[in-house]
Amino acid sequence: MLRISIAIVLVCIAGLGLWHLVAYLAGKLPKKQRTVKQSPEPPSAIQSALLPPGLQTLTEAAPTRDDPERLQQACTALEDSLADTYMVLAESWLRKGQPRKAAAVLKKILQICPGRHQAQLAQDRLQQIGNEVQG
């Protein structure tokens, strides 16, 4: 009985030693490197929805880095889109009862794109806000 109990302990110790040896060797073996696929992702639906219609076709077309006319069109479309988005932001601030924040956004439109029709709309809206606050 004593021999059996000693044999069981020795077998357990040998098994644990073997298990640790295998774990140690498995950590030392060179691991197979995973290949990472790097492909450009198409624009998300949100990004596409935010782009003006003229720019959506530019992003889907061939590369435009060497075509200054198309790049100019894209810049103009982005400026219009930015100004329109700022106008929506200003109106949103007004609906929330924050005329000072709306006025700050409208002034930003005047600074960023003074020659656009949105700048004239912003100027008119600033005058309306001023009259409402005074009246």
Side-chain angles (χ1 to χ4, degrees), residues 60-116:
E60 297 167 358
T64 59
R65 291 180 184 225
D66 295 332
D67 190 356
E69 288 84 16
R70 293 197 65 177
L71 286 171
Q72 184 63 46
Q73 290 173 355
C75 289
T76 302
L78 282 173
E79 288 171 353
D80 284 339
S81 176
L82 178 64
D84 289 338
T85 305
Y86 272 128
M87 287 296 294
V88 171
L89 176 61
E91 294 299 324
S92 178
W93 279 125
L94 287 172
R95 283 192 301 276
K96 292 283 186 175
Q98 300 285 332
R100 287 189 177 143
K101 290 185 179 182
V105 172
L106 292 169
K107 288 176 185 176
K108 193 168 194 169
I109 293 172
L110 294 174
Q111 291 173 351
I112 292 174
C113 43
R116 303 215 178 274

Side-chain angles (χ1 to χ4, degrees), residues 4-81:
I4 294 175
S5 59
I6 292 174
I8 290 175
V9 170
L10 290 175
V11 167
C12 288
I13 291 173
L16 284 173
L18 185 61
W19 183 32
H20 285 287
L21 179 65
V22 169
Y24 174 77
L25 291 176
K28 290 290 184 179
L29 294 176
K31 295 181 181 179
K32 182 180 176 184
Q33 294 185 359
R34 293 180 10 189
T35 57
V36 178
K37 293 182 180 179
Q38 296 188 9
S39 62
E41 295 194 20
S44 69
I46 294 173
Q47 290 171 337
S48 296
L50 294 176
L51 292 176
L55 188 60
Q56 289 174 358
T57 57
L58 286 174
T59 58
E60 297 167 358
T64 59
R65 291 180 184 225
D66 295 332
D67 190 356
E69 288 84 16
R70 293 197 65 177
L71 286 171
Q72 184 63 46
Q73 290 173 355
C75 289
T76 302
L78 282 173
E79 288 171 353
D80 284 339
S81 176

